[in-house]
Amino acid sequence: MLVQILFYAFATVLVLSALGMIFARNPVHSAMALVLCFVTSAAIWLLSGAEFLAVVLVLVYVGAVMVLFLFVVMMLDINFEELHSGLTRFSWLGIITGGVVIFEIVGVAVARLGPMIHQGPVSEPAGYSNTAELGEVLYSRYAYPFELAAVLLLVAIVAAIALTMRKRQGLKVQDVNKQVAARAADRVRIVKMEAEKR
């Protein structure tokens, strides 16, 4: 009974923080709401008995990815008024897409996980390790989808680097050829100038 109460409490916080992430006007506030989403999702994983996934979610996403998101959001000079100017024009499409996705997720959960949700998590024996079980399933049954996800992430990283390497005015970059071709005599320049009196 206590597990179900905690699940519904965490699920409510998760849904509210997800809505706050979507509707927040400030990207920093949106990123902080996403942090709350990750932490609450980790708590739900803990309730399900998947401690490894909960720890990985907190360490990787909250500890690394969200810090990177916050640095990028705070360092970029974004004109928020221009960014939100044409947002309401396509809001109907976002609402329809969100509704379809929610309907699909709820349909799959009710059809396939309905009995499991009502029964709660199944207790495992004392020597059971969900980390070993997860690794065995991931690298045997789902090896090809795992490799495909890795390739997609690599393509996304290359695309992000290519987008950020565009030429901008006032951008200071290193000239490696000049640095390599520099000689010791060129590094220090002694200039003779007359002494000035105050």
Side-chain angles (χ1 to χ4, degrees), residues 41-90:
S41 300
I44 293 175
W45 280 115
L46 280 175
L47 287 178
S48 301
E51 297 87 4
F52 176 74
L53 291 177
V55 170
V56 167
L57 188 64
V58 171
L59 289 180
V60 175
Y61 283 96
V62 178
V65 176
M66 285 312 304
V67 172
L68 180 64
F69 278 3
L70 284 174
F71 273 124
V72 170
V73 165
M74 289 189 291
M75 288 179 66
L76 290 178
D77 188 16
I78 302 174
N79 188 0
F80 297 115
E81 294 181 359
E82 182 180 351
L83 185 66
H84 293 295
S85 60
L87 189 62
T88 56
R89 187 173 54 180
F90 298 105

Coordinates of all heavy atoms in Angstrom, one line a residue, residues 41-90:
S41 N 12.1 10.3 -11.6 CA 12.1 9.0 -12.4 C 13.0 8.0 -11.7 O 12.7 6.8 -11.6 CB 12.6 9.3 -13.8 OG 11.7 10.2 -14.5
A42 N 14.2 8.5 -11.1 CA 15.1 7.6 -10.4 C 14.4 7.1 -9.2 O 14.6 5.9 -8.8 CB 16.3 8.4 -10.0
A43 N 13.6 7.9 -8.5 CA 12.8 7.4 -7.3 C 11.8 6.3 -7.7 O 11.7 5.3 -7.0 CB 12.1 8.6 -6.6
I44 N 11.2 6.5 -8.9 CA 10.3 5.4 -9.3 C 11.0 4.2 -9.7 O 10.5 3.1 -9.4 CB 9.4 6.0 -10.5 CG1 8.5 7.1 -10.1 CG2 8.6 4.9 -11.2 CD1 7.8 7.8 -11.1
W45 N 12.2 4.3 -10.3 CA 13.0 3.1 -10.5 C 13.4 2.4 -9.2 O 13.4 1.2 -9.2 CB 14.3 3.5 -11.3 CG 14.1 3.7 -12.8 CD1 14.3 4.9 -13.4 CD2 13.7 2.7 -13.7 NE1 14.1 4.7 -14.8 CE2 13.7 3.4 -15.0 CE3 13.4 1.4 -13.6 CZ2 13.4 2.7 -16.1 CZ3 13.1 0.7 -14.8 CH2 13.1 1.4 -16.0
L46 N 13.7 3.2 -8.2 CA 14.0 2.6 -6.9 C 12.8 1.8 -6.4 O 12.9 0.7 -5.8 CB 14.4 3.6 -5.9 CG 15.9 4.1 -6.0 CD1 16.1 5.3 -5.0 CD2 16.8 3.0 -5.7
L47 N 11.6 2.4 -6.5 CA 10.4 1.6 -6.1 C 10.2 0.3 -6.8 O 9.7 -0.6 -6.3 CB 9.2 2.5 -6.2 CG 9.0 3.7 -5.2 CD1 7.8 4.5 -5.6 CD2 9.0 3.2 -3.8
S48 N 10.6 0.3 -8.1 CA 10.4 -0.9 -8.9 C 11.5 -1.9 -8.6 O 11.5 -3.0 -9.2 CB 10.4 -0.5 -10.4 OG 9.4 0.4 -10.7
G49 N 12.5 -1.6 -7.8 CA 13.6 -2.5 -7.5 C 14.8 -2.5 -8.5 O 15.6 -3.4 -8.5
A50 N 14.8 -1.5 -9.3 CA 15.9 -1.3 -10.3 C 16.9 -0.3 -9.8 O 16.9 0.9 -10.2 CB 15.4 -1.0 -11.7
E51 N 17.7 -0.6 -8.8 CA 18.6 0.3 -8.1 C 19.7 0.8 -9.1 O 20.1 2.0 -9.1 CB 19.3 -0.3 -6.9 CG 18.3 -0.7 -5.8 CD 17.7 -2.0 -6.0 OE1 18.2 -2.7 -6.9 OE2 16.8 -2.4 -5.2
F52 N 20.2 -0.1 -9.9 CA 21.3 0.3 -10.9 C 20.8 1.4 -11.8 O 21.5 2.4 -12.1 CB 21.8 -0.9 -11.6 CG 22.8 -0.6 -12.7 CD1 24.1 -0.3 -12.3 CD2 22.5 -0.6 -14.0 CE1 25.0 0.0 -13.3 CE2 23.4 -0.3 -15.0 CZ 24.7 0.0 -14.6
L53 N 19.6 1.2 -12.4 CA 19.1 2.2 -13.3 C 18.8 3.5 -12.6 O 19.0 4.6 -13.2 CB 17.8 1.7 -14.0 CG 17.9 0.5 -14.9 CD1 16.6 0.1 -15.4 CD2 18.8 0.9 -16.1
A54 N 18.4 3.5 -11.4 CA 18.2 4.7 -10.7 C 19.5 5.5 -10.4 O 19.6 6.7 -10.6 CB 17.5 4.4 -9.3
V55 N 20.5 4.8 -10.0 CA 21.8 5.4 -9.8 C 22.4 5.9 -11.1 O 22.9 7.1 -11.1 CB 22.8 4.4 -9.1 CG1 24.2 4.9 -9.0 CG2 22.3 4.1 -7.7
V56 N 22.3 5.2 -12.1 CA 22.8 5.6 -13.4 C 22.1 6.9 -13.9 O 22.7 7.8 -14.4 CB 22.7 4.5 -14.5 CG1 22.9 5.0 -15.9 CG2 23.7 3.4 -14.2
L57 N 20.7 6.9 -13.7 CA 20.0 8.0 -14.1 C 20.4 9.3 -13.4 O 20.5 10.4 -14.0 CB 18.5 7.8 -13.9 CG 17.5 8.8 -14.4 CD1 17.5 8.8 -15.9 CD2 16.1 8.5 -13.9
V58 N 20.7 9.2 -12.1 CA 21.1 10.3 -11.3 C 22.5 10.8 -11.7 O 22.8 11.9 -11.9 CB 21.0 10.0 -9.8 CG1 21.6 11.2 -9.0 CG2 19.5 9.9 -9.4
L59 N 23.4 9.8 -11.7 CA 24.8 10.1 -12.0 C 25.0 10.6 -13.4 O 25.7 11.7 -13.6 CB 25.7 8.9 -11.8 CG 25.9 8.4 -10.3 CD1 26.7 7.2 -10.2 CD2 26.4 9.6 -9.5
V60 N 24.5 9.9 -14.4 CA 24.8 10.3 -15.8 C 23.9 11.5 -16.2 O 24.5 12.5 -16.7 CB 24.5 9.1 -16.7 CG1 24.7 9.5 -18.2 CG2 25.4 8.0 -16.4
Y61 N 22.6 11.5 -16.0 CA 21.8 12.5 -16.6 C 21.8 13.8 -15.7 O 22.0 14.9 -16.2 CB 20.4 12.0 -16.8 CG 20.2 11.2 -18.0 CD1 20.3 9.8 -17.9 CD2 20.0 11.7 -19.2 CE1 20.2 9.0 -19.0 CE2 19.9 10.9 -20.4 CZ 20.0 9.6 -20.2 OH 19.9 8.8 -21.4
V62 N 21.6 13.6 -14.4 CA 21.5 14.8 -13.5 C 23.0 15.3 -13.3 O 23.2 16.5 -13.3 CB 20.9 14.4 -12.2 CG1 20.9 15.6 -11.2 CG2 19.4 14.0 -12.4
G63 N 23.9 14.4 -13.1 CA 25.3 14.8 -12.8 C 26.1 15.3 -14.0 O 27.0 16.1 -13.8
A64 N 25.8 14.8 -15.2 CA 26.7 15.2 -16.3 C 25.9 15.9 -17.4 O 26.3 17.0 -17.8 CB 27.3 13.9 -16.9
V65 N 24.9 15.3 -17.9 CA 24.1 15.8 -19.0 C 23.5 17.1 -18.7 O 23.6 18.1 -19.4 CB 23.1 14.8 -19.6 CG1 22.3 15.4 -20.7 CG2 23.8 13.6 -20.0
M66 N 22.8 17.2 -17.5 CA 22.1 18.4 -17.2 C 23.1 19.6 -16.8 O 22.8 20.7 -17.1 CB 21.2 18.2 -16.0 CG 19.9 17.4 -16.4 SD 19.1 18.0 -17.9 CE 18.8 19.7 -17.4
V67 N 24.2 19.2 -16.3 CA 25.2 20.3 -16.0 C 25.7 20.9 -17.4 O 25.8 22.1 -17.5 CB 26.4 19.7 -15.2 CG1 27.6 20.7 -15.2 CG2 26.0 19.3 -13.8
L68 N 25.9 20.0 -18.3 CA 26.2 20.5 -19.7 C 25.1 21.3 -20.3 O 25.4 22.4 -20.9 CB 26.5 19.2 -20.6 CG 26.9 19.5 -22.0 CD1 28.3 20.3 -22.0 CD2 27.0 18.3 -22.8
F69 N 23.9 20.9 -20.1 CA 22.8 21.7 -20.6 C 22.7 23.1 -20.0 O 22.6 24.1 -20.7 CB 21.4 21.0 -20.3 CG 21.1 19.9 -21.3 CD1 21.9 19.5 -22.3 CD2 19.9 19.2 -21.2 CE1 21.6 18.5 -23.2 CE2 19.5 18.2 -22.1 CZ 20.4 17.9 -23.1
L70 N 22.9 23.1 -18.7 CA 22.9 24.4 -18.0 C 24.0 25.3 -18.5 O 23.8 26.5 -18.7 CB 22.9 24.2 -16.5 CG 21.6 23.7 -15.9 CD1 21.9 23.4 -14.4 CD2 20.5 24.8 -16.0
F71 N 25.2 24.7 -18.6 CA 26.3 25.6 -19.1 C 26.1 26.1 -20.5 O 26.3 27.3 -20.8 CB 27.6 24.7 -19.1 CG 28.3 24.7 -17.8 CD1 28.7 23.6 -17.2 CD2 28.7 25.9 -17.2 CE1 29.3 23.6 -16.0 CE2 29.4 26.0 -16.0 CZ 29.7 24.8 -15.4
V72 N 25.5 25.2 -21.4 CA 25.2 25.7 -22.8 C 24.2 26.8 -22.8 O 24.3 27.8 -23.5 CB 24.8 24.5 -23.6 CG1 24.3 24.9 -25.0 CG2 26.0 23.6 -23.8
V73 N 23.1 26.5 -22.0 CA 22.0 27.5 -22.0 C 22.4 28.8 -21.4 O 22.1 29.9 -21.9 CB 20.8 26.9 -21.2 CG1 19.8 28.0 -20.8 CG2 20.1 25.8 -22.0
M74 N 23.2 28.8 -20.3 CA 23.6 30.1 -19.7 C 24.7 30.8 -20.5 O 24.9 32.0 -20.4 CB 24.1 29.8 -18.3 CG 23.0 29.4 -17.4 SD 23.4 29.4 -15.6 CE 24.4 28.0 -15.6
M75 N 25.5 30.0 -21.3 CA 26.6 30.7 -22.0 C 26.2 31.2 -23.4 O 26.8 32.2 -23.9 CB 27.8 29.7 -22.2 CG 28.5 29.4 -21.0 SD 29.9 28.2 -21.3 CE 30.9 29.2 -22.3
L76 N 25.1 30.7 -23.9 CA 24.6 31.2 -25.2 C 23.9 32.5 -25.0 O 23.1 32.7 -24.1 CB 23.7 30.2 -25.9 CG 24.4 28.9 -26.4 CD1 23.3 27.9 -27.0 CD2 25.4 29.2 -27.4
D77 N 24.0 33.4 -26.0 CA 23.3 34.7 -26.0 C 22.1 34.5 -26.8 O 22.2 34.7 -28.1 CB 24.2 35.8 -26.5 CG 23.6 37.1 -26.3 OD1 22.6 37.2 -25.5 OD2 24.1 38.1 -26.9
I78 N 21.0 34.1 -26.2 CA 19.8 33.8 -27.0 C 18.8 35.0 -26.8 O 18.5 35.4 -25.7 CB 19.1 32.5 -26.5 CG1 20.1 31.4 -26.7 CG2 17.9 32.2 -27.3 CD1 19.6 30.1 -26.1
N79 N 18.2 35.4 -27.9 CA 17.2 36.4 -27.9 C 15.8 35.7 -27.7 O 15.3 35.1 -28.6 CB 17.1 37.2 -29.2 CG 16.2 38.4 -29.1 OD1 15.5 38.6 -28.0 ND2 16.1 39.2 -30.1
F80 N 15.3 35.7 -26.4 CA 14.1 34.9 -26.1 C 12.9 35.4 -26.8 O 12.0 34.7 -27.1 CB 14.0 34.8 -24.6 CG 15.1 34.1 -23.9 CD1 15.9 34.8 -23.0 CD2 15.4 32.8 -24.1 CE1 17.0 34.2 -22.4 CE2 16.4 32.1 -23.5 CZ 17.2 32.8 -22.6
E81 N 12.8 36.7 -26.9 CA 11.6 37.3 -27.6 C 11.5 36.8 -29.0 O 10.4 36.5 -29.5 CB 11.6 38.8 -27.5 CG 11.5 39.3 -26.1 CD 11.5 40.8 -26.0 OE1 11.6 41.4 -27.1 OE2 11.4 41.4 -24.9
E82 N 12.6 36.8 -29.7 CA 12.6 36.3 -31.1 C 12.4 34.8 -31.2 O 11.8 34.3 -32.1 CB 14.0 36.7 -31.7 CG 14.1 36.3 -33.2 CD 15.4 36.7 -33.8 OE1 16.2 37.4 -33.1 OE2 15.7 36.2 -34.9
L83 N 12.9 34.1 -30.2 CA 12.7 32.7 -30.1 C 11.3 32.3 -29.9 O 10.8 31.3 -30.6 CB 13.6 32.1 -29.0 CG 13.6 30.6 -28.9 CD1 14.3 30.0 -30.1 CD2 14.4 30.2 -27.6
H84 N 10.5 33.0 -29.1 CA 9.1 32.7 -28.8 C 8.1 33.4 -29.7 O 6.9 33.3 -29.5 CB 8.8 33.0 -27.4 CG 9.5 32.2 -26.4 ND1 9.3 30.9 -26.2 CD2 10.5 32.5 -25.4 CE1 10.1 30.4 -25.3 NE2 10.8 31.4 -24.8
S85 N 8.6 34.1 -30.7 CA 7.7 35.0 -31.5 C 6.8 34.1 -32.4 O 5.6 34.3 -32.4 CB 8.5 35.9 -32.4 OG 9.4 35.1 -33.3
G86 N 7.3 33.0 -33.0 CA 6.5 32.2 -33.9 C 6.0 30.9 -33.2 O 5.7 29.9 -33.9
L87 N 6.1 30.8 -31.9 CA 5.9 29.5 -31.2 C 4.4 29.2 -31.2 O 4.0 28.1 -31.4 CB 6.4 29.6 -29.8 CG 6.4 28.3 -29.0 CD1 7.3 27.3 -29.6 CD2 6.9 28.6 -27.5
T88 N 3.5 30.2 -31.0 CA 2.1 29.9 -30.8 C 1.5 29.6 -32.2 O 0.4 29.0 -32.2 CB 1.4 31.1 -30.2 OG1 1.7 32.3 -31.0 CG2 1.9 31.4 -28.8
R89 N 2.2 29.8 -33.3 CA 1.6 29.5 -34.6 C 1.4 28.0 -34.8 O 0.5 27.6 -35.4 CB 2.5 30.1 -35.7 CG 1.9 30.0 -37.0 CD 2.7 30.8 -38.0 NE 4.1 30.4 -38.0 CZ 5.1 30.9 -38.7 NH1 4.8 31.9 -39.6 NH2 6.3 30.5 -38.6
F90 N 2.3 27.2 -34.2 CA 2.3 25.8 -34.4 C 1.9 25.0 -33.1 O 2.2 23.9 -33.0 CB 3.6 25.3 -34.9 CG 4.0 25.8 -36.2 CD1 5.0 26.8 -36.3 CD2 3.4 25.4 -37.4 CE1 5.3 27.3 -37.5 CE2 3.8 25.9 -38.6 CZ 4.7 26.9 -38.7

